[in-house]
Amino acid sequence: MTLPPEILAERDPLAVLRFTGTLGRPAVVRLIDQAMTREEVTAARTATPTPYGREVIVAAQQTGRRVAVVSNNSAESVHAFLSARRLSGYVHPVIGRPYAAPERMKPDPFPVREAVRELGAEPAECVLAGDSETDIEAAHAAGVPAIGYANKPGKRERFAAADAVIDSMAELVSAFAVDEL
């Protein structure tokens, strides 16, 4: 099989995984997903945390809120990240990318709906803070309000569909302190 030049040049492993899902070869999708998970778990242990991310998680718990993680990365890598930072007890559930089913990754609402279900909540009782347009799309498709985290130049403009946009996670910590969420 010859791969298209755009896939050979692709730097986003999730885009490569999505491409493998179009091939009609489930065994290939499983192999790619497994390889990605191994690499993600390794990377998660030394990944740079989002500034104020820990404070958001702790502030949420201190104010009686529950925190779920919904990621297009593997659940295993999210657990490794949380464990390395002693945050595992603060976050449940962790909904990672559906194994070998790239078509169910965000922007598909499946992972967001799964998190809402595991929280035992209604979509309108939740909020998703995300740093990508697919996060906003998935949240809205699941009936969940969305906060765009504009962590890089140009993102604020791309989050026109978000219910709110923040430039720093410190803004969420402040919102928890005054009970704005």
Side-chain angles (χ1 to χ4, degrees), residues 22-34:
T22 68
L23 300 176
R25 299 182 62 189
V28 172
V29 177
R30 287 191 300 273
L31 287 171
I32 296 298
D33 201 329
Q34 290 166 2

Side-chain angles (χ1 to χ4, degrees), residues 117-180:
R117 185 189 66 72
E118 286 200 33
L119 287 168
E122 292 298 322
E125 298 171 326
C126 301
V127 64
L128 184 144
D131 67 351
S132 71
E133 293 166 275
T134 59
D135 290 332
I136 308 306
E137 291 173 39
H140 285 164
V144 172
I147 298 172
Y149 171 43
N151 59 341
K152 294 180 183 162
K155 279 195 172 183
R156 181 170 272 283
E157 296 75 25
R158 294 196 313 255
F159 290 147
D163 298 286
V165 180
I166 59 173
D167 297 307
S168 169
M169 287 295 191
E171 294 175 61
L172 290 182
V173 176
S174 297
F176 287 148
V178 295
D179 203 32
E180 290 181 359

Side-chain angles (χ1 to χ4, degrees), residues 26-98:
V28 172
V29 177
R30 287 191 300 273
L31 287 171
I32 296 298
D33 201 329
Q34 290 166 2
M36 283 181 56
T37 296
R38 283 191 303 275
E39 294 302 317
E40 289 169 346
V41 168
T42 299
R45 293 188 180 112
T46 58
T48 302
T50 298
Y52 296 99
R54 177 182 190 79
E55 291 84 352
V56 168
I57 292 169
V58 172
Q61 185 183 49
Q62 288 174 341
T63 58
R65 293 170 174 89
R66 294 177 295 158
V67 176
V69 170
V70 177
S71 179
N72 277 347
N73 294 104
S74 66
E76 294 90 338
S77 67
V78 175
H79 283 296
F81 180 88
L82 293 170
S83 178
R85 285 147 193 88
R86 299 183 325 270
L87 288 168
S88 296
Y90 293 86
V91 178
H92 179 78
V94 170
I95 308 297
R97 121 182 118 248

